[in-house]
Amino acid sequence: MYAYWKPFEAYAVKRILEEYKHAVIDFGAGYSVYEDIKLFQQVEKTLKPYPSLFLLLPSSDREESIQILHQRLQQITDDKDVFELNKHFVTHPSNHKLAKQTIYTKRKSADTVAEEIISYV
């Protein structure tokens, strides 16, 4: 199912950005992770003109980020596939290649993270 949705997600990125030119958009991890190089390049080309592309992670340490996100997910699910998919999203290089800035959120309030993002914009 994951692989099936990827072309639709790449298309959605393009359409959403065409429709909402002056908005803050949270795509989530799924919309920025592509195993298919052609889909990745399509999304990369779509995002290239946008200078404010942020990757939010709990920590610069990927394993720590995975553990923190795993703890958060445990509050809403015990599905092992969800945990593995989340790990895939954190470790996959697409997010890091597409992002222009990475913000680490561990021990920061939402307001602090927002202020940090605004300081880059």
Side-chain angles (χ1 to χ4, degrees):
M1 183 64 108
Y2 169 78
Y4 173 79
W5 279 105
K6 298 318 283 180
F8 299 106
E9 290 172 349
Y11 178 75
V13 169
K14 182 176 187 275
R15 290 293 294 130
I16 289 167
L17 291 172
E18 288 172 351
E19 187 75 22
Y20 301 98
K21 296 198 180 291
H22 304 289
V24 174
I25 301 165
D26 175 7
F27 282 115
Y31 289 85
S32 56
V33 172
Y34 297 92
E35 283 69 39
D36 180 322
I37 190 65
K38 289 182 182 179
L39 286 176
F40 174 79
Q41 290 171 339
Q42 178 184 332
V43 171
E44 184 177 43
K45 181 180 177 184
T46 299
L47 294 174
K48 188 174 184 169
Y50 296 89
S52 300
L53 299 172
F54 296 93
L55 172 60
L56 303 180
L57 288 171
S59 170
S60 60
D61 180 304
R62 289 185 184 178
E63 286 303 316
E64 183 179 27
S65 285
I66 291 165
Q67 290 305 314
I68 291 169
L69 294 170
H70 180 79
Q71 290 169 353
R72 291 178 189 169
L73 280 173
Q74 280 182 318
Q75 296 172 17
I76 58 172
T77 185
D78 61 356
D79 185 337
K80 301 281 189 241
D81 292 337
V82 172
F83 297 133
E84 285 304 310
L85 191 56
N86 203 48
K87 180 178 179 181
H88 176 68
F89 291 153
V90 171
T91 59
H92 197 279
S94 287
N95 281 320
H96 300 277
K97 288 179 182 177
L98 293 173
K100 307 235 170 113
Q101 300 289 335
T102 301
I103 308 261
Y104 300 108
T105 62
K106 181 178 161 187
R107 295 190 188 103
K108 294 179 184 174
S109 69
D111 288 341
T112 300
V113 173
E115 288 172 15
E116 193 170 342
I117 290 170
I118 290 166
S119 75
Y120 283 106
V121 179

